[in-house]
Amino acid sequence: MMYISGVMAGFVSDYLRVRWSVSTTVVRKLFNSVAMFGVAACLTVCGWLESECTIVTFLSVAGFCSGFTQSGYANNHIDLSMRYTGVLMGISNSCSSIPGIVGPQIASILTPSPGGLSIHSSMPKWWVDKIRSEWRTVFIITASILVFGGFVFILFGSGERQPWDKPSSSPRREQEDGISKRVPGEAAAAEDGTAP
């Protein structure tokens, strides 16, 4: 599901930018908001559902919504800096791996009842309600983090190249960056001292 929505989001975001002249910043914020708030809504609803089939359906819709991040924050690194895209991607991926490590530990603390999500018809109703309540807490915390992240991106996100990405104007810095603006004849004259 995420693959389908990711590819679809790519085509739609390019269409909005090229055909309708929507700014890159607006497009990134729009698609990121659809992803973050869409997943948060689906997870919140899952906390109150009882039918396993319906829960799986909403989790699938959440996966579909998450694909829209491919035209949101996932592509935003290259918008901000063409020179340091790899560094930005490395930093953001390193930071985003922390919830993947900590999340299961927190979920296991919040869901201490034996049986996890396995709810059987032979279980007493009070036990089923306890398990659902524990998982509802996990879903709500996750949705809250997504909503917070969505609003942070709306407030502070940008799709414009940042000033720190532009090369400095000093000739030494330009040579280090491999983008010397000198004409080859001028560079040779400067080296042998015959330049005016």
Side-chain angles (χ1 to χ4, degrees):
M1 298 294 286
M2 187 175 171
Y3 173 77
I4 294 168
S5 59
V7 171
M8 185 178 79
F11 284 115
V12 174
S13 66
D14 287 345
Y15 180 80
L16 289 172
R17 290 175 61 213
V18 173
R19 186 80 167 169
W20 292 90
S21 300
V22 178
S23 74
T24 303
T25 299
V26 170
V27 168
R28 297 294 182 237
K29 289 181 179 185
L30 172 69
F31 281 91
N32 202 66
S33 296
V34 168
M36 300 289 224
F37 301 138
V39 174
C42 290
L43 291 179
T44 303
V45 170
C46 283
W48 276 270
L49 295 174
E50 295 184 7
S51 164
E52 291 175 6
C53 184
T54 310
I55 291 171
V56 169
T57 301
F58 271 89
L59 289 176
S60 297
V61 172
F64 181 82
C65 289
S66 69
F68 287 98
T69 60
Q70 299 305 315
S71 289
Y73 78 86
N75 277 334
N76 196 234
H77 302 92
I78 199 162
D79 298 330
L80 300 176
S81 170
M82 296 180 82
R83 298 170 72 215
Y84 302 112
T85 302
V87 173
L88 293 175
M89 195 68 165
I91 292 169
S92 65
N93 275 345
S94 297
C95 293
S96 67
S97 66
I98 294 170
I101 298 167
V102 176
Q105 306 306 318
I106 294 172
S108 68
I109 292 167
L110 294 173
T111 57
S113 299
L117 281 174
S118 303
I119 297 175
H120 305 287
S121 58
S122 62
M123 291 179 154
K125 179 163 177 21
W126 65 270
W127 190 259
V128 171
D129 290 342
K130 183 175 184 332
I131 292 172
R132 286 194 174 126
S133 173
E134 292 170 355
W135 280 99
R136 184 177 303 129
T137 302
V138 172
F139 287 141
I140 288 173
I141 288 171
T142 305
S144 300
I145 292 169
L146 287 164
V147 168
F148 175 75
F151 279 120
V152 167
F153 193 80
I154 288 171
L155 293 174
F156 301 109
S158 173
E160 307 305 320
R161 187 174 180 192
Q162 298 302 297
W164 44 263
D165 183 52
K166 296 177 180 148
S168 69
S169 59
S170 73
R172 180 182 171 113
R173 179 66 186 198
E174 289 171 0
Q175 286 178 345
E176 289 172 0
D177 291 339
I179 49 175
S180 177
K181 294 180 181 175
R182 291 187 188 179
V183 178
E186 289 179 5
E191 289 174 8
D192 65 12
T194 60

